[in-house]
Amino acid sequence: MTPIRPLWRGSGSRGPRLLVAAALLASVAAVPSAASATPGTGAPAAAPAAEPGRAPARSGSPGPAYERVAHFYGAYVDVASDPGSHKAAAALRAFYLTADLRGRLLDWERRHDADGVLRAQNAPSAWRVTAGDSGMGKTTSTVRLTWGTGPERTYTYLSVQSDLATRTITDIRSKY
């Protein structure tokens, strides 16, 4: 077994430069945290309610079935907007949709010459998922797809049914 050698070994002049660089990086990293500390206590300051200039953040969890529907539609809309991403779309369908639904979507797509998940030939500009009613081991979510931007935008609504036990999507239908 070869012993692990220290990084600074080998060149006499690199060692001091490496130590200076490490010290400089450590001090730069410490400055923002010291600046945000509460005076006198050194404890981190509470984050303000709205932080101007901060990048927007998103979060999620593998929680309720409607969140899985939101994860699916978020990823699927991204993939549908990207030309040549058929493999990625197929992988998303395989992961989130039941085999039975995938077969029914293929039939629907042959008849309508459109994407069965989106019920359209194009990709929407935005989407929103709202939780619906649950019962008998199933739950229904409403997916609103936004087409276009500004005052000219329009919406379509889909009813998406999921199995509560597996959280897989079992049905997609036009809501209205």
Side-chain angles (χ1 to χ4, degrees):
M1 187 161 109
T2 307
I4 299 174
R5 296 183 181 162
L7 186 60
W8 62 84
R9 193 170 179 184
S11 170
S13 65
R14 191 177 357 166
R17 280 188 279 165
L18 188 60
L19 290 175
V20 169
L24 181 60
L25 286 173
S27 66
V28 168
V31 169
S33 62
S36 65
T38 304
T41 67
E51 298 182 39
R54 299 281 306 217
R58 305 252 170 147
S59 62
S61 70
Y66 77 91
E67 285 186 18
R68 293 274 296 219
V69 171
H71 293 166
F72 170 68
Y73 270 91
Y76 197 85
V77 166
D78 284 346
V79 165
S81 301
D82 224 359
S85 56
H86 300 293
K87 284 184 181 180
L92 287 170
R93 286 180 178 217
F95 184 76
Y96 285 98
L97 311 179
T98 62
D100 177 60
L101 176 57
R102 290 193 306 269
R104 287 186 282 128
L105 286 175
L106 288 175
D107 291 340
W108 189 95
E109 290 168 345
R110 280 188 207 106
R111 287 191 317 272
H112 295 92
D113 194 31
D115 186 303
V117 170
L118 301 173
R119 296 294 201 249
Q121 293 179 337
N122 302 319
S125 57
W127 54 270
R128 183 177 74 183
V129 176
T130 306
D133 295 331
S134 298
M136 308 271 306
K138 306 281 184 197
T139 188
T140 303
S141 304
T142 298
V143 176
R144 182 183 80 176
L145 300 175
T146 305
W147 306 95
T149 57
E152 301 297 317
R153 68 181 173 260
T154 59
Y155 305 102
T156 57
Y157 295 86
L158 304 173
S159 178
V160 178
Q161 187 179 64
S162 302
D163 183 281
L164 286 171
T166 64
R167 296 181 314 179
T168 54
I169 297 172
T170 59
D171 197 25
I172 299 172
R173 297 177 187 265
S174 294
K175 188 156 182 164
Y176 303 110

